[in-house]
Structures are given as structure tokens and as C-alpha cells.
Amino acid sequence: MKEIKRLPESELEIMQIIWRETAPVSRAVIEHTLNEKHPLAPTTILTLLTRLCDKGFLSQKKAGRTNVYEPLITEKDYLASESRLFLDRLFNGSVANFAVALCDSGIKKEEVEELRRLLEKGEL
């Protein structure tokens, strides 16, 4: 798997909006969705979009008088990369150590059973 850079929270929030929408996504759609949670200035949103393009997460093209954005990295690939970094950083790359920590954290029996079913189906 190619190395994917870790995103700061503000850029990840924009990527999550783009991943949920049907591509291509306009700045106006991103701004509207963000403003439902917490307003950001349009210039701030444009700066974040530019950074995401520079980092290789988005492509930008013109659609009439506006720019639209498409993801170049899928949410699945980003989550896989973040999960691997998480395991490596906190659990020395060991899924078993992670499982022990989950059990120590008070994970519910139903959650353990759900994980077991997913593992048996090969969906993890």
C-alpha cells in the first residue's frame, strides 16, 4: 500500500464530506455542510481545499464558473492507512495487543461477538 499522509482534523472533515457526496463536489456544497456544524470563512475552506489538492487527496477542475473537487484517495484506503499507523504507533503493530487493550477497556460482550462474526466471515 502506498504511504498516505495523515490529515489534520480540519482537512479530514472536508474529505469526509467529499467522500459522502457524489463526485464532483463544489465548494458551495462543502461550505453548506460545514456550516451546519460550525461556520468557516469561505477563504478558509478554499485554503483547506488547496492544501488537500497539493497533498494529492483531491483533484480540482472547472465546472462553469466554479471549481469542483474529486477524491483521489478513497476513504477505505485512508482508513486502512490510519489503522495501520495506529496499530504500529500504539500497539507495536500487534493486532493481539490491540485486542487485549480492547478487552481491558470494557468492550461489551455483544461487540466481541460482532468482531468474531466479522472475522469468521472474512469481512475484516
Side-chain angles (χ1 to χ4, degrees), residues 48 64 75-76 85:
L48 294 171
E75 183 175 26
K76 181 179 179 180
L85 286 172

Side-chain angles (χ1 to χ4, degrees), residues 45-108:
I45 294 170
L46 288 173
T47 298
L48 294 171
L49 288 167
T50 299
R51 286 182 192 162
L52 287 164
C53 289
D54 292 345
K55 290 178 180 180
F57 278 82
L58 295 176
S59 68
Q60 171 190 323
K61 63 183 174 184
K62 281 282 190 195
R65 295 177 53 191
T66 188
N67 289 328
V68 292
Y69 301 88
E70 292 191 45
L72 297 175
I73 294 176
T74 66
E75 183 175 26
K76 181 179 179 180
D77 287 344
Y78 184 76
L79 291 175
S81 175
E82 279 293 293
S83 297
R84 177 47 53 194
L85 286 172
F86 175 78
L87 277 175
D88 290 345
R89 189 173 64 248
L90 296 177
F91 301 99
N92 206 24
S94 169
V95 174
N97 289 344
F98 174 63
V100 169
L102 271 178
C103 291
D104 290 346
S105 72
I107 189 171
K108 296 176 186 169

Side-chain angles (χ1 to χ4, degrees), residues 17-35:
I17 292 168
I18 291 170
W19 285 323
R20 281 192 302 265
E21 296 290 333
T22 302
V25 182
S26 69
R27 183 206 44 82
V29 168
I30 296 164
E31 185 175 337
H32 173 76
T33 305
L34 277 173
N35 284 338

